[in-house]
Amino acid sequence: MTRLIRSYFFWSYERGSFHYDVMVTAILLFVFVSPRFIDFKDKPVTTVPLHGSEVLVKEASGNSNEARFVYEVRAEDLDGASTDVEIRKALLSVIEPISGEVKLEQYKPVPDTKGKIVAYDATVLRSGL
């Protein structure tokens, strides 16, 4: 029995043998079945973490004379803006130093998993590119 355990531990069986197949099967079972029984506490990140004055920029579609971009701005960077006019003005004050003069087409709030607004996706149009 000790020799069998030592052979498994040092992986000394030839490929294609019965014992080799048993070891490979045991490894595959561990890899695919263990997450059901072991809580590894891994969770996906729900939002893109932004730091300081970082703004996430995503390119959207646009025609040849103008470019459309989507900027994700953290809600805390808007200095407590609550009305539509205040939010639009605050979004432009964050985006324009980065991208130059733009036209804010629309914005939509980005909630976290609990429904709290953590950011805004602002679609802006930039002419003359």
Side-chain angles (χ1 to χ4, degrees), residues 14-84:
E14 292 294 320
R15 189 173 185 179
S17 67
F18 172 75
H19 292 289
Y20 183 91
D21 292 342
V22 168
M23 291 187 296
V24 170
T25 303
I27 291 170
L28 289 174
L29 281 173
F30 176 77
V31 168
F32 291 111
V33 176
S34 65
R36 293 191 177 272
F37 301 105
I38 301 172
D39 184 17
F40 292 105
K41 298 187 185 348
D42 55 339
K43 303 280 186 257
V45 177
T46 57
T47 60
V48 176
L50 300 174
H51 305 288
S53 62
E54 289 181 4
V55 175
L56 179 65
V57 182
K58 305 171 234 177
E59 187 171 1
S61 62
N63 65 26
S64 60
N65 294 335
E66 51 194 31
R68 184 172 282 119
F69 296 96
V70 178
Y71 288 80
E72 186 168 290
V73 181
R74 295 186 310 174
E76 58 200 39
D77 290 343
L78 300 185
D79 299 324
S82 57
T83 66
D84 182 60

Side-chain angles (χ1 to χ4, degrees), residues 53 55 73 77-78 89-99:
S53 62
V55 175
V73 181
D77 290 343
L78 300 185
K89 186 177 178 184
L91 284 170
L92 285 174
S93 70
V94 171
I95 295 170
E96 283 186 336
I98 299 167
S99 65

Side-chain angles (χ1 to χ4, degrees), residues 94-119:
V94 171
I95 295 170
E96 283 186 336
I98 299 167
S99 65
E101 190 174 338
V102 294
K103 177 186 172 197
L104 180 62
E105 287 189 328
Q106 67 177 3
Y107 69 89
K108 66 178 183 176
V110 178
D112 64 1
T113 56
K114 296 178 183 173
K116 180 184 174 196
I117 296 173
V118 294

